[in-house]
């Protein structure tokens, strides 16, 4: 994953006059230049790191082509920055117990910081409340924020070829989804199993070897060991349902992407987001908790993948959640704050 701050720093050093226009374009195209979420192992968690690196290399080439269309004469500056960052990415930290402990500390500090952010009290939504539609869209808020997507309606971007191709590339390369059937299968998996089930299996295993099979290589086994240690550390604090934010947030994003690409109708997307909204409102209690769930699931995913850039990834998520909760200094509050979390319905009779 490229570091957007480093890109901006190098571009500024290269050409002071070009920086303002590039920064404005970055705000609309952050996902293209590296601040994207890449859940590449969601369907097949046996994907090896060399295969992931090949995907990243191919995507870097795609970035260069698209950025050439977007930035024109400034492309030379940006290409040089991307090349330097690609060289730096080869010097990743090795995953060891010390790094794991550091990531636990970063996670806990970041979740505590999110907990301290202001948020409106939850409110009751009636079954036919029109606010459910926008609430469902806002469940995709973290991924949308990271990718510079619009959150005002169902469409994530304007319908122009370069942006449509951008979304197709994310869905195909990062998720292995190539049409309606794949899309619905993945949304169904996230809604019914996802990391909630994965966390439960890891928490119930008394030893990591119970989760291994004879076909696993050393890298796969170490991935299981890392994730088992993570889950064992936190299983007394968080139940499996806490992972609902991580699963539902990504399912909501896939729903909007699928609608934008015409793989599902808007009516179908509204129905899917309604179901996802009911699920998440039963499991979690606030936007803050939703963001914490996303941080928690995001680190579990990074541990499974063996991606030592997990700390910067947690930072991106925290920044996105902060924007959504309180907004930037120039904003009048965040988008999540405009749609309070649905209060859980009380069971039984009221006298």
């Amino acid at each position: 994953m490229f570091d957007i701050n480093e890109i901006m720093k190098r571009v500024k050093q290269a050409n002071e006059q070009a920086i303002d226009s590039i920064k404005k374009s970055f705000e609309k195209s952050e996902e293209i230049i590296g601040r994207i979420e890449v859940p590449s192992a969601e369907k097949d968690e046996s994907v090896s790191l060399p295969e992931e690196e090949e995907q990243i290399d191919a995507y870097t080439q795609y970035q260069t082509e698209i950025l050439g269309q977007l930035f024109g004469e400034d492309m030379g500056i940006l290409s040089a920055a991307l090349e330097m960052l690609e060289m730096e990415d080869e010097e990743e930290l090795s995953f060891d117990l010390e790094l794991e402990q550091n990531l636990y500390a970063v996670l806990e500090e970041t979740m505590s910081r999110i907990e301290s952010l202001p948020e409106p009290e939850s409110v009751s939504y009636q079954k036919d409340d029109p606010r459910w539609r926008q609430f469902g869209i806002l469940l995709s808020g973290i991924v949308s924020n990271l990718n510079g997507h619009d959150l005002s309606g169902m469409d994530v971007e304007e319908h122009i070829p370069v942006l449509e191709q951008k979304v197709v590339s994310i869905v195909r390369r990062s998720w292995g989804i190539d049409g309606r059937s794949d899309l619905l299968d993945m949304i169904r998996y996230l809604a019914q199993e996802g990391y909630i089930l994965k966390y439960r299996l890891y928490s119930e295993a008394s030893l990591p070897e119970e989760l291994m099979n004879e076909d696993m290589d050393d890298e796969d086994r170490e991935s299981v060991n890392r994730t088992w240690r993570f889950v064992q550390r936190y299983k007394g604090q968080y139940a499996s349902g806490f992972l609902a934010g991580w699963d539902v947030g990504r399912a909501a994003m896939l729903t909007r992407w699928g609608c934008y690409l015409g793989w599902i109708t808007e009516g179908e997307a509204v129905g899917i987001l309604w179901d996802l909204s009911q699920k998440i409102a039963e499991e979690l209690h606030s936007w803050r908790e939703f963001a914490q769930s996303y941080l928690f699931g995001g680190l579990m995913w990074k541990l499974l993948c063996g991606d030592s850039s997990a700390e910067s990834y947690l930072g991106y998520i925290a920044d996105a959640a902060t924007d959504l909760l309180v907004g930037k200094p120039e904003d009048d509050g965040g988008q999540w704050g405009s749609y309070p979390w649905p209060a859980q319905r009380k069971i039984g009779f009221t006298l």
Side-chain angles (χ1 to χ4, degrees):
M1 181 178 292
F2 298 115
D3 187 328
I4 185 67
N5 293 322
E6 284 300 313
I7 290 178
M8 298 302 297
K9 179 180 178 181
R10 295 178 188 280
V11 172
K12 184 175 181 179
Q13 290 173 344
N15 191 326
E16 287 288 342
Q17 293 182 342
I19 190 63
D20 289 339
S21 62
I22 294 176
K23 285 177 69 176
K24 291 177 182 178
S25 297
F26 275 167
E27 291 173 1
K28 186 66 178 173
S29 311
E30 285 179 334
E31 158 272 324
I32 300 180
I33 53 178
R35 281 186 63 179
I36 70 169
E37 185 179 0
V38 189
S40 57
E42 194 63 65
K43 266 194 170 180
D44 181 4
E45 302 224 346
S46 65
V47 174
S48 66
L49 287 179
E51 288 173 329
E52 289 182 348
E53 289 169 359
E54 289 176 6
Q55 291 178 357
I56 292 171
D57 290 342
Y59 193 67
T60 300
Q61 177 60 36
Y62 172 75
Q63 290 172 345
T64 302
E65 295 172 1
I66 297 300
L67 286 167
Q69 299 177 40
L70 292 175
F71 295 121
E73 63 183 14
D74 294 330
M75 189 56 225
I77 300 168
L78 197 52
S79 294
L82 286 171
E83 288 173 5
M84 285 186 284
L85 288 170
E86 186 175 5
M87 291 172 62
E88 292 176 359
D89 281 348
E90 295 175 0
E91 302 175 2
E92 289 189 353
L93 298 172
S94 59
F95 236 120
D96 54 24
L97 290 175
E98 182 179 357
L99 178 57
E100 285 182 40
Q101 293 298 320
N102 179 63
L103 289 173
Y104 297 158
V106 171
L107 173 68
E108 292 162 12
E109 187 280 328
T110 306
M111 290 176 70
S112 178
R113 181 152 42 90
I114 293 296
E115 182 64 31
S116 69
L117 294 175
E119 176 179 353
E121 292 290 331
S122 58
V123 299
S124 296
Y125 286 25
Q126 299 302 314
K127 185 176 181 179
D128 59 350
D129 196 314
R131 289 178 295 180
W132 280 117
R133 176 187 172 96
Q134 187 61 21
F135 177 80
I137 289 171
L138 289 173
L139 290 174
S140 73
I142 290 178
V143 192
S144 293
N145 184 286
L146 291 174
N147 289 298
H149 288 328
D150 185 19
L151 274 169
S152 63
M154 190 67 73
D155 277 345
V156 297
E157 300 282 358
E158 296 180 55
H159 281 279
I160 58 177
V162 66
L163 296 179
E164 290 175 353
Q165 183 57 44
K166 180 179 74 170
V167 174
V168 167
S169 180
I170 298 173
V171 177
R172 286 180 175 166
R173 293 176 183 273
S174 299
W175 286 88
I177 294 174
D178 198 24
R180 176 184 173 85
S181 178
D182 289 344
L183 178 79
L184 293 175
D185 284 347
M186 182 58 73
I187 293 172
R188 189 177 298 111
Y189 162 74
L190 292 173
Q192 298 177 1
E193 298 180 12
Y195 271 62
I196 289 180
L197 177 59
K198 197 183 302 292
Y199 184 86
R200 186 180 304 140
L201 293 174
Y202 274 84
S203 66
E204 293 172 352
S206 56
L207 292 171
E209 286 75 16
E210 296 175 20
L211 300 159
M212 300 177 185
N213 59 61
E214 59 184 15
D215 295 329
M216 288 183 171
D217 58 21
D218 290 343
E219 190 173 295
D220 293 332
R221 289 175 179 275
E222 186 49 45
S223 171
V224 172
N225 281 320
R226 276 193 307 270
T227 308
W228 183 82
R229 289 191 292 267
F230 171 79
V231 175
Q232 294 301 310
R233 178 185 178 95
Y234 291 108
K235 70 177 185 179
Q237 186 175 359
Y238 301 108
S240 59
F242 183 63
L243 274 294
W246 171 246
D247 286 336
V248 167
R250 294 176 301 146
M253 189 73 261
L254 285 171
T255 301
R256 294 185 66 213
W257 279 334
C259 182
Y260 175 75
L261 295 173
W263 293 349
I264 58 175
T265 67
E266 184 167 348
E268 289 173 320
V270 170
I272 292 170
L273 291 177
W274 159 263
D275 289 339
L276 293 173
S277 297
Q278 305 313 300
K279 176 181 176 67
I280 200 68
E282 291 176 1
E283 294 286 357
L284 303 179
H285 304 85
S286 66
W287 284 117
R288 288 191 300 256
E289 192 176 15
F290 179 84
Q292 290 170 329
S293 171
Y294 210 95
L295 286 161
F296 192 78
L299 180 54
M300 184 175 170
W301 169 56
K302 289 293 187 180
L303 291 169
L304 273 167
C305 295
D307 187 347
S308 59
S309 68
E311 182 174 351
S312 60
Y313 179 64
L314 294 178
Y316 294 149
I317 294 174
D319 288 346
T322 301
D323 285 348
L324 290 160
L325 277 169
V326 300
K328 294 183 174 64
E330 65 272 17
D331 297 334
D332 184 20
Q335 290 161 299
W336 279 353
S338 300
Y339 286 82
W341 194 264
Q344 292 187 345
R345 297 186 182 91
K346 295 181 179 180
I347 300 174
F349 296 100
T350 301
L351 300 178

